[in-house]
Structure formats: structure tokens, C-alpha cells
Amino acid sequence: MNTHDLVAFVAVVETGSIVAASARLNLTQPGVTRRIQNLEEMLGAQLLDRLSKPLKPTPAGYEAYEQGRRLLRMLDDLKSGVANDGVVRGEFRLGLTPFLSEAGLTGPLDAVRAEFPALAVRVVSGWSPHHLEAVSRNELDAAAICLPDGTAPPAELLADDLGAQPVVFVVARDMKTPKSVGLEWLSRMGWVINQDGCGFRQTLKRHFDAAHLPFTVAVEALDSELRLSLVARGLGIGLVTPVALKRSPIRNRLKIVRIEDFNPAVRAWIVHRPPAGRLARPIEVFREALNRELQALVRA
């Protein structure tokens, strides 16, 4: 078997098109097509449903993809294992959701770099649903994500539960509010919140939908300090972690609103596809360090 043919086939399955696969592999589209045809001839089976858009594997193609992906990972492991110094090399593609970026980009990444200096770590920031899809498509090796509490990652992924992460509600300090409020009061407020895809936002909307109350978004913003500044100017109510609020330079312009019988939280996870191969230990080092950071944040 020509491994280049297998690499091309895996790229087509993961990207869904010859065009995207050729861009990923820096090959011409006819070159990718020829490699797919070579693999099909060698295996004696049609691997792609060429009438589907995007391209999807046939049942035989899906089996070839799963086995082929494992084979390519084993070849990477072999190259790393027979290196003269036995050092883990190559690339570690890691996804981080915005909520975990601050915790994940300090101690955890330093821990991975310290133990695996020859490993190139590429960090991708994005929303948890997108990271789950990227890990499933083998576009990321692992991801640190947040999901609404009570929701678990897909069963085909290996997932380590890092625990629930609390948040608090904040409004402008000069806004008149009761000592504690309920969901009905909150439903009259506009929300200054992350774009759709945020685990906190999904958790909130689920609670409001269950109570048959409106959930109105006033402003969507990715940057946490921008959101807090908009809340401080009276544009609505926001969500923030206790530590982020404590560290914010405008914390004195905000106040926490106590919510009756409602303590929203999301759960943090580390996910990756099996087998982890040569990246098993780097993923473990990152997971352990991130878990320590998150536990420290909860206690702070």
C-alpha cells in the first residue's frame, strides 16, 4: 500500500471534497483523484459516494477510513519511537474554548512545552461544538471544551470530566435591583453575552425555555472585558466567572445579582479520538495541569 494514497483518502473524508483535500495536502485536484483511485484499485472497493455533496465514504470507505487513520497514527508513533533520542516530535493540534483559554494558555501549555520541547503545539480558539466536530474529523488532536452541565461529549470520543465551572450574574453598579431575583425578573433584561456556541449561553437558554420565558440578547461580543464594559454602561446583564470579575479593572463598576434557586454552570472536558498514540502523554500532561488550574480558580 502507498501511504500517500491513504493520506489523500483520509484528507478527502475529513474535508468532504477533493478541492479542500488538495488544499490541505498542497496537491493538484487530479493528483488527489488519482491517489483515491489507486487506493480503490488496491483494495478492490469503491470508497467514496461521488454523488453526495459533500463527499461521503461508502460503508467500505468508512471502514477504510477508520483503519487507515489508525494506521497513519501508528506510523507517526513509529517514526517518533525509533528516533535516536526517543523524543516526541511532530505537531499537537489543541482546541481551546474561550472560557478555558486563560487557564489553558498559562500553566498547562507551559507544562507540555517543558516536558516535550520538540513537540510543536498549535492552539486553535473556538466554540465547543466546533471543536467537537474538528476532533471527530481528526482536524484537532484534542480539545478543552465546555458543555452545559448534564450534557456529555459524543460517545465515540474519549472524554475526561474536569468538573463544573461556576459563573455569576453582573449588572451596572448603579442599577437598582432587589437583593435576589428570579428567572421572571431576569427575562425582562437584555443579555450581554458570547456569540451562539457558548456553553453558558446554551445553559441559560435551556433554563428559560423550560420556564417558558423569553431570553433576549442585547449585545453579542467575544471579548470578556468588552462585555463587562458594556454591562457597566447599563446595556444589560452579563455572565462572568468569579475569578475574571475579581481580575477585571472595572470590577468596581459592577455588582453581582443573586438569583433565587438558579446556579448555572458548565462542565469542562478534555476530548480526543482513540487511539492517542504518541500524543497520549502530552494530552495527559495538559489535562492534569488544566485540571489543577481550574480547581484553583474554583477555590479562589
Side-chain angles (χ1 to χ4, degrees):
M1 176 184 293
N2 188 326
T3 57
H4 295 299
D5 297 341
L6 184 57
V7 168
F9 171 65
V10 168
V12 170
V13 173
E14 291 177 351
T15 63
S17 74
I18 299 292
V19 174
S22 65
R24 177 194 280 195
L25 301 175
N26 197 27
L27 292 172
T28 64
Q29 295 176 40
V32 172
T33 300
R34 281 195 301 273
R35 291 187 177 185
I36 301 300
Q37 291 171 342
N38 291 340
L39 185 62
E40 289 180 323
E41 290 175 5
M42 194 277 294
L43 295 176
Q46 181 177 334
L47 302 180
L48 292 173
D49 178 359
R50 289 170 171 79
L51 297 180
S52 63
K53 298 290 182 180
L55 283 175
K56 294 181 180 179
T58 63
Y62 182 79
E63 180 66 22
Y65 167 73
E66 290 295 327
Q67 298 288 347
R69 190 185 64 82
R70 290 186 177 91
L71 175 59
L72 294 176
R73 175 57 62 83
M74 289 171 63
L75 290 174
D76 286 341
D77 295 343
L78 177 62
K79 292 176 183 177
S80 179
V82 300
N84 290 334
D85 53 11
V87 173
V88 177
R89 290 183 169 83
E91 187 177 53
F92 180 21
R93 303 164 300 172
L94 177 66
L96 281 177
T97 193
F99 171 73
L100 298 175
S101 292
E102 183 175 355
L105 288 174
T106 51
L109 280 186
D110 290 342
V112 173
R113 290 194 179 101
E115 187 163 340
F116 308 99
L119 187 65
V121 182
R122 179 164 65 88
V123 177
V124 178
S125 180
W127 299 120
S128 297
H130 300 156
H131 283 334
L132 285 173
E133 293 175 3
V135 173
S136 296
R137 294 194 302 264
N138 202 35
E139 294 172 0
L140 290 174
D141 298 306
I145 63 168
C146 286
L147 297 176
D149 204 10
T151 302
E156 65 267 20
L157 300 181
L158 293 181
D160 293 302
D161 184 355
L162 301 185
Q165 309 301 315
V167 294
V168 294
F169 298 90
V170 291
V171 296
R173 181 165 291 277
D174 58 2
M175 179 181 290
K176 294 182 178 180
T177 60
K179 289 184 178 180
S180 65
V181 302
L183 282 182
E184 196 280 330
W185 184 89
L186 284 178
S187 69
R188 300 196 296 269
M189 300 287 292
W191 289 89
V192 180
I193 199 165
N194 273 332
Q195 295 167 325
D196 200 11
C198 166
F200 287 130
R201 178 166 171 165
Q202 294 175 18
T203 300
L204 275 175
K205 191 174 186 308
R206 186 174 63 181
H207 278 81
F208 279 88
D209 288 345
H212 304 289
L213 292 170
F215 178 75
T216 305
V217 176
V219 181
E220 290 184 343
L222 180 60
D223 183 77
S224 59
E225 279 303 313
L226 173 59
R227 292 197 303 272
L228 290 180
S229 69
L230 294 172
V231 171
R233 288 159 55 188
L235 271 71
I237 186 168
L239 281 169
V240 65
T241 64
V243 174
L245 178 60
K246 184 178 180 180
R247 293 176 178 174
S248 174
I250 61 171
R251 60 186 178 277
N252 292 332
R253 296 168 52 195
L254 300 162
K255 66 179 178 181
I256 295 175
V257 178
R258 307 295 177 185
I259 312 300
E260 300 168 355
D261 301 322
F262 185 37
N263 297 303
V266 295
R267 192 162 290 273
W269 302 82
I270 295 287
V271 298
H272 65 90
R273 288 193 63 161
R278 66 186 175 86
L279 293 177
R281 180 58 184 162
I283 292 173
E284 181 183 2
V285 169
F286 181 81
R287 180 186 68 240
E288 292 176 350
L290 179 58
N291 190 46
R292 289 193 297 271
E293 292 279 344
L294 292 177
Q295 293 304 315
L297 292 179
V298 170
R299 293 192 299 267

